[in-house]
């Protein structure tokens, strides 16, 4: 249907990289990019929630280098570009992972409550799943063919709130992150699916989430076989 086609057009994107690298889409030249790299300061996270914006600048410059490198003409240029693009991709991945980590750290520090260790350790996993593996549509959180992310260790929910914010879910704004673990906020201390769009399962007791995830996976296999 037309609706399904519209939804699919927003699905399957490497969400973090598109979010952090707008310069790729504007065909920046390698000369301009190199100047940008020199002028771009190294992002330093602090409690004022500046990590994301710093990561955006650095990520945009890094990805622009990769885009310019991909347009090399000669074999020699292509060879050197391949090496440089690989290094740039690694740097962008690191920026993305650190953006998740320090959004979590800042939120926990501001609320003076919560668990920073889990989101810091699990940030690479969350990044790979949301940027590379999962199909989802932030504009339509209830899209029927989406992949479901279930965080069994619900006390580490700042991981989930961070990736939802960075991938474009309007249900988790920066103001919501600043209200982490506050009364009446959209970012409670454990994820609640009736409170925050994008949260698939309310998880609290350890083991509850994995049990739900097995049921969701079985239901998806059944639906795929029947329809």
């Amino acid at each position: 249907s037309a609706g399904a086609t519209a939804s699919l057009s927003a699905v399957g994107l490497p969400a973090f990289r598109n979010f952090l690298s707008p310069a790729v889409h504007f065909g920046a030249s390698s000369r301009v990019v190199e100047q940008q790299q020199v002028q771009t300061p190294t992002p330093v996270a602090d409690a004022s929630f500046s990590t994301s914006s710093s990561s955006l600048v650095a990520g945009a410059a890094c990805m622009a280098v990769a885009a310019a490198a991909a347009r090399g003409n000669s074999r020699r240029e292509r060879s050197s570009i391949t090496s440089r693009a690989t290094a740039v991709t690694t740097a962008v991945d690191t920026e993305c992972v650190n953006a998740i980590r320090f959004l979590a750290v800042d939120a926990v520090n501001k609320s003076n409550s919560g668990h920073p260790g889990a989101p810091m350790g699990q940030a690479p996993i969350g990044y790979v799943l949301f940027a590379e593996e999962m199909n989802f549509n932030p504009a339509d959180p209830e899209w029927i063919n989406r992949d479901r992310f279930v965080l069994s260790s619900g006390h580490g929910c700042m991981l989930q709130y961070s990736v939802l914010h960075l991938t474009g879910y309007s249900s988790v704004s920066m103001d919501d992150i600043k209200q982490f673990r506050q009364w009446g906020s959209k970012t409670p201390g454990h994820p609640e699916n009736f409170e925050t769009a994008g949260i698939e399962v309310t998880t609290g007791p350890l083991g509850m989430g994995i049990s739900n995830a097995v049921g969701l996976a079985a239901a998806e296999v059944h639906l795929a076989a029947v329809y």
Side-chain angles (χ1 to χ4, degrees), residues 89-103:
T89 300
T90 302
V92 172
D93 290 340
T94 301
E95 290 286 345
C96 294
V97 170
N98 286 338
I100 297 171
R101 284 174 170 155
F102 285 97
L103 272 177

Side-chain angles (χ1 to χ4, degrees), residues 9-175:
S9 66
V11 173
L13 299 175
F16 283 114
R17 285 180 176 160
N18 284 350
F19 183 70
L20 293 177
S21 56
V24 172
H25 305 293
F26 294 93
S29 68
S30 58
R31 180 178 302 175
V32 172
V33 170
E34 289 167 1
Q35 292 174 353
Q36 290 174 343
Q37 280 188 304
V38 172
Q39 296 172 0
T40 300
T42 302
V44 178
D46 55 32
S48 64
F49 291 83
S50 63
T51 305
S52 295
S53 59
S54 299
S55 296
L56 295 184
V57 176
C62 289
M63 285 302 288
V65 173
R71 289 191 288 271
N73 295 322
S74 69
R75 183 173 301 175
R76 180 179 299 176
E77 287 175 339
R78 285 196 297 270
S79 177
S80 63
I81 284 167
T82 300
S83 300
R84 184 171 59 175
T86 301
V88 166
T89 300
T90 302
V92 172
D93 290 340
T94 301
E95 290 286 345
C96 294
V97 170
N98 286 338
I100 297 171
R101 284 174 170 155
F102 285 97
L103 272 177
V105 169
D106 286 344
V108 171
N109 285 344
K110 186 176 188 301
S111 68
N112 198 28
S113 175
H115 304 266
M120 288 186 72
Q122 297 168 1
I125 302 172
Y127 167 64
V128 169
L129 288 175
F130 276 82
E132 305 290 347
E133 299 295 333
M134 292 175 54
N135 292 323
F136 58 92
N137 186 353
D140 183 11
E142 299 299 318
W143 178 53
I144 192 64
N145 201 37
R146 69 190 182 279
D147 291 324
R148 274 78 169 173
F149 178 86
V150 179
L151 185 68
S152 190
S153 53
H155 60 280
C157 56
M158 265 313 304
L159 168 70
Q160 199 164 10
Y161 297 145
S162 295
V163 293
L164 290 177
H165 172 70
L166 290 171
T167 51
Y169 281 80
S170 60
S171 55
V172 183
S173 66
M174 183 59 73
D175 286 337

Side-chain angles (χ1 to χ4, degrees), residues 134 141-152 160 193 198-203 207-225:
M134 292 175 54
E142 299 299 318
W143 178 53
I144 192 64
N145 201 37
R146 69 190 182 279
D147 291 324
R148 274 78 169 173
F149 178 86
V150 179
L151 185 68
S152 190
Q160 199 164 10
N193 65 345
I199 302 294
E200 299 290 348
V201 172
T202 299
T203 54
M208 176 180 173
I210 188 63
S211 303
N212 278 269
V214 170
L216 289 170
E220 284 293 312
V221 172
H222 173 73
L223 290 172

